[in-house]
Amino acid sequence: DGLRELMQREALRQLGDVLREVKGTGVLLKGAARLALTSQGGTPLPVRATGDLDVYIEPSLAPLVRHRLLADGWKGERDGLLPATHHLAPVSFQGIPLEIHTRIMPAFWGLPEAELLAHVQTIPEMDAFATLDPEGFLLHSVVHVSTHLFAQGMKTAWDTFWVMEQEQPLDWARLARWVDALRVPRG
């Protein structure tokens, strides 16, 4: 696990270099966000294992970033088929998969993405990256688990606990407004 985490951090470093080159910002999602924030010395809670790295990149820059990573030696098919409507074909670094999202989630969920992206927070010492704020992180985590028929419930419970342990209080009214905007609010 420790070696995998080191490789994930190196993958993020290289991705950050490419994002700076193209003058873009990546919004780290799910486990990648926790990995980055925990390394900043915040909460003493340990990082949960993450299988892949997920990052939202502005749709106009996402293909360029993907092609630059491939040119830098990352693995993946140059013109790989899109596995989903909300992210590009995956690339990998030393066996660490990276999904470059052009949407946070598929559009049919009705996630208020523009509002979530308007509230992103920068990551100290990682200038090429941001994360969703606690409300956005929590909403994305809970809606994401419902897309997998709650098969990743333990990850979501861990992420929820992690958000609740942060010093920043949640804006429950904004979170409720975002939930009401979903097409599948019970999801």
Side-chain angles (χ1 to χ4, degrees), residues 10-157:
E10 177 59 19
L12 288 177
R13 188 196 63 73
Q14 290 186 24
L15 174 59
D17 289 345
V18 172
L19 285 166
R20 279 187 289 284
E21 285 176 25
V22 301
K23 298 184 182 358
T25 299
V27 179
L28 297 174
L29 304 171
K30 302 184 299 188
R34 291 237 358 237
L35 177 69
L37 291 172
T38 304
S39 72
Q40 299 296 309
T43 178
L45 292 174
V47 176
R48 73 160 167 83
T50 183
D52 62 0
L53 300 172
D54 294 85
V55 61
Y56 167 84
I57 298 174
E58 173 65 38
S60 64
L61 291 177
L64 175 61
V65 169
R66 185 179 183 280
H67 288 300
R68 292 253 178 117
L69 290 172
L70 290 171
D72 288 347
W74 286 51
K75 304 295 181 215
E77 295 181 32
R78 179 150 176 81
D79 298 315
L81 297 174
L82 297 180
T85 60
H86 65 294
H87 59 78
L88 305 179
V91 294
S92 66
F93 171 77
Q94 301 291 322
I96 305 296
L98 171 69
E99 289 182 358
I100 298 175
H101 289 241
T102 54
R103 294 188 58 88
I104 297 172
M105 292 197 61
F108 65 81
W109 284 96
L111 199 71
E113 291 194 12
E115 287 190 58
L116 268 69
L117 292 169
H119 287 87
V120 297
Q121 297 178 337
T122 59
I123 302 174
E125 300 176 28
M126 295 182 82
D127 62 332
F129 296 108
T131 64
L132 299 173
D133 69 353
E135 295 80 8
F137 185 91
L138 184 58
L139 179 65
H140 178 237
S141 179
V142 172
V143 174
H144 184 263
V145 76
S146 66
T147 69
H148 293 282
L149 303 175
F150 303 97
Q152 299 175 358
M154 192 58 124
K155 285 183 185 180
T156 304

